[in-house]
Amino acid sequence: MSNKKNFPDNFLWGVGYSSHQVEGNNSNNDWWEWEQEGKTKERSGWACDSWNRYPVDHRLAQELGCNAFRLSLEWSRIEPKEGKFSEEAIEHYRKVLRDVKDKNMKCVVTLWHWTLPLWFSHRYGWHKKESVKYFTRYCKKVIEELGDEIDLLITLNEPRLPLNRGYIIGEFPPGKRNPYWFFKARKNMVQAHIKCYELSKKINRNISIGLTQYCNDFNFVGRCKPIKVLTEKIEDFYNWYFFTQIGEAQDFIGINYYYGYDYKITWKYPFFERVVKNDEMRNNMDWEFSPKGIYELVMDAWRKYKKPIYIFENGAADAEDRIRSQYINGHLKYLHKAIKNGADARGYFHWSLIDNFEWLEGFWPRFGLCEMNYETMERKPRQSYYFYQRIIKHNSLDTE
Ligand code: BGC
């Protein structure tokens, strides 16, 4: 007997990627500089050459059946020098967004997916108060020039993660270990988002605007009261801080979810440690399969904020395509359960359409529904691409 799990009408089915990870030749930003300094395993170089090959990517998404496509704009191309906007780059992105629209997909656009123009990173950085003003100016330009093509606007992608790795651990640009700057930068990001929200509502009310956060489902071993309280505190810090701070200045809640771990408490920063399970479904980066976490997070977000929720990232580094289909199925089952239990989840975006440049790790982790041949730049759908295609086509999971 078939046991169909239908998704709501108008549910957004999408895929996503970000400028620096796919475009290639983004030589005017802080990550490029970081790569030249030898701080990543590989350099992004031509990446997937999506700057030129975007129509191929869009066609792959269209053939997959997507009704939405998530991409990011490269600030360092749009504003290559302080206060000097590049008409050429804006025109390029206009073509990119129109091409998405022509293929009957909604445009989900991220303003900042971790890369900063060199003029900004050298002179300012998120920890400087000027960052608010300059990011807002960039946002204003984008909305004025490209706003008509944008359906959903994500100001910041996962702000907590690069802040932590860039201002505490020091392995991402700007490579600092300075908690004071961490807090300054975090505050500025919150302010920048709120300002962008306000101005976006003045310029173009049709755009839905919010941010997306990397969320983790924290399962602490032990169930006593102090552990429960601690878990909530950690989740408030890791998952919900930005959403709570920006309050009403958001039209939706964006969740990026990859894995959940079991943890135990320790006395060393960050005061908890992973309990490693022996798991067949672990991906190439050793991330465990924990689909139930998506349910917990969506339900928590719904209870806390009562706003539409989108899963903007969910995926696995899986070069052999061994677990990806099951990974998608597992997470969608739990997302469906959350919808059934009343959460207003409106979309799922798989990360990623194609293999791409995975930051510190370089090119070895392969997150794509399509396999990249970096020699020929050919994109080849994997089996999981067809698996996801069937789900999208039926707008449902067939669990039998
Ligand atoms: C980031 C992506 C990255 C993915 C997989 C997310 O945190 O937004 O840029 O590729 O994780 O690591």
Side-chain angles (χ1 to χ4, degrees):
M1 203 181 80
S2 113
N3 177 12
K4 274 203 184 286
K5 293 190 185 303
N6 294 326
F7 282 82
D9 293 344
N10 304 321
F11 189 78
L12 293 188
W13 293 106
V15 284
Y17 62 32
S18 84
S19 54
H20 192 70
Q21 293 180 273
V22 298
E23 282 180 354
N25 237 354
N26 273 328
S27 57
N28 193 26
N29 72 33
D30 56 345
W31 265 90
W32 182 276
E33 185 176 60
W34 200 244
E35 294 158 23
Q36 312 317 306
E37 288 166 3
K39 292 173 177 160
T40 55
K41 284 192 186 152
E42 282 170 282
R43 297 173 181 185
S44 56
W46 280 98
C48 308
D49 191 28
S50 290
W51 180 259
N52 298 307
R53 292 169 202 253
Y54 67 87
V56 180
D57 296 344
H58 298 170
R59 179 152 308 279
L60 281 165
Q62 183 188 31
E63 283 168 8
L64 184 57
C66 292
N67 54 6
F69 192 89
R70 178 180 177 218
L71 56 92
S72 76
L73 303 178
E74 181 59 34
W75 185 5
S76 65
R77 289 198 192 254
I78 292 184
E79 191 181 355
K81 297 213 170 86
E82 187 170 341
K84 301 264 173 292
F85 291 93
S86 157
E87 286 312 319
E88 212 185 317
I90 293 171
E91 198 41 47
H92 170 86
Y93 282 121
R94 188 170 291 124
K95 279 198 207 130
V96 171
L97 300 182
R98 286 210 176 131
D99 192 57
V100 171
K101 287 279 163 93
D102 288 346
K103 295 191 163 83
N104 292 320
M105 296 183 284
K106 287 199 189 290
C107 288
V108 179
V109 172
T110 311
L111 282 176
W112 181 70
H113 201 121
W114 299 0
T115 50
L116 294 169
L118 286 177
W119 63 262
F120 180 92
S121 65
H122 287 172
R123 223 162 297 157
Y124 310 102
W126 280 113
H127 58 286
K128 294 275 174 65
K129 68 174 187 313
E130 292 86 351
S131 59
V132 178
K133 177 168 90 191
Y134 293 129
F135 187 75
T136 314
R137 182 175 66 183
Y138 157 58
C139 174
K140 181 163 180 272
K141 184 76 178 171
V142 167
I143 297 176
E144 284 169 351
E145 296 279 352
L146 304 170
D148 289 344
E149 316 294 338
I150 299 175
D151 296 287
L152 273 75
L153 185 65
I154 299 169
T155 51
L156 306 168
N157 177 69
E158 305 181 347
R160 203 242 332 125
L161 191 144
L163 276 179
N164 186 36
R165 298 175 80 169
Y167 284 97
I168 301 284
I169 303 174
E171 61 183 359
F172 274 20
K176 306 287 179 209
R177 290 190 185 166
N178 186 330
Y180 176 67
W181 282 4
F182 169 93
F183 287 111
K184 289 277 252 198
R186 193 173 69 157
K187 187 168 155 240
N188 291 336
M189 283 181 169
V190 168
Q191 284 312 312
H193 172 90
I194 294 174
K195 287 227 161 9
C196 291
Y197 182 89
E198 289 167 354
L199 82 87
S200 142
K201 293 297 164 197
K202 279 192 203 135
I203 310 175
N204 186 332
R205 294 201 65 82
N206 297 329
I207 304 174
S208 280
I209 166 165
L211 57 78
T212 194
Q213 181 58 59
Y214 182 91
C215 292
N216 215 327
D217 179 36
F218 291 88
N219 286 310
F220 277 89
V221 181
R223 287 192 183 283
C224 60
K225 182 96 199 261
I227 287 194
K228 223 177 141 239
V229 173
L230 180 82
T231 308
E232 272 165 27
K233 289 266 168 278
I234 289 175
E235 289 187 343
D236 281 345
F237 180 81
Y238 271 80
N239 298 339
W240 312 123
Y241 178 83
F242 279 90
F243 300 120
T244 303
Q245 290 297 310
I246 63 182
E248 280 311 301
Q250 56 194 331
D251 299 321
F252 57 78
I253 305 292
I255 292 180
N256 296 359
Y257 177 70
Y258 286 88
Y259 56 85
Y261 289 143
D262 288 346
Y263 293 93
K264 65 177 188 223
I265 311 288
T266 65
W267 291 109
K268 249 177 56 201
Y269 180 84
F271 308 113
F272 51 85
E273 175 180 292
R274 206 176 126 188
V275 180
V276 180
K277 288 184 276 184
N278 191 9
D279 186 354
E280 285 272 291
M281 288 286 290
R282 207 173 286 167
N283 79 19
N284 298 155
M285 292 175 91
D286 216 19
W287 299 354
E288 283 163 21
F289 179 65
S290 184
K292 187 165 177 285
I294 212 168
Y295 172 79
E296 304 291 348
L297 290 166
V298 169
M299 290 313 289
D300 274 2
W302 177 243
R303 272 190 294 268
K304 279 176 186 289
Y305 307 106
K306 287 278 182 286
K307 303 229 180 226
I309 297 162
Y310 293 92
I311 303 299
F312 283 129
E313 289 183 28
N314 174 242
D318 179 21
E320 308 77 22
D321 207 32
R322 186 176 62 87
I323 59 166
R324 191 173 288 103
S325 299
Q326 229 178 310
Y327 181 95
I328 295 174
N329 200 55
H331 287 83
L332 286 176
K333 235 158 85 178
Y334 278 106
L335 181 60
H336 182 269
K337 183 176 167 194
I339 296 172
K340 230 173 111 198
N341 284 346
D344 185 9
R346 298 197 185 173
Y348 172 88
F349 291 71
H350 191 76
W351 188 272
S352 176
L353 175 67
I354 50 179
D355 297 332
N356 56 54
F357 178 71
E358 180 55 28
W359 308 110
L360 292 182
E361 294 298 323
F363 289 100
W364 77 262
R366 289 181 175 262
F367 279 88
L369 290 162
C370 301
E371 180 182 356
M372 271 300 300
N373 178 329
Y374 291 108
E375 299 278 304
T376 62
M377 293 292 172
E378 227 178 302
R379 289 98 158 112
K380 186 167 157 238
R382 296 188 161 106
Q383 277 313 308
S384 51
Y385 173 96
Y386 299 106
F387 180 82
Y388 187 37
Q389 188 179 51
R390 279 196 296 281
I391 296 176
I392 299 179
K393 181 163 174 227
H394 299 293
N395 197 37
S396 89
L397 292 176
D398 201 342
T399 55
E400 290 301 288

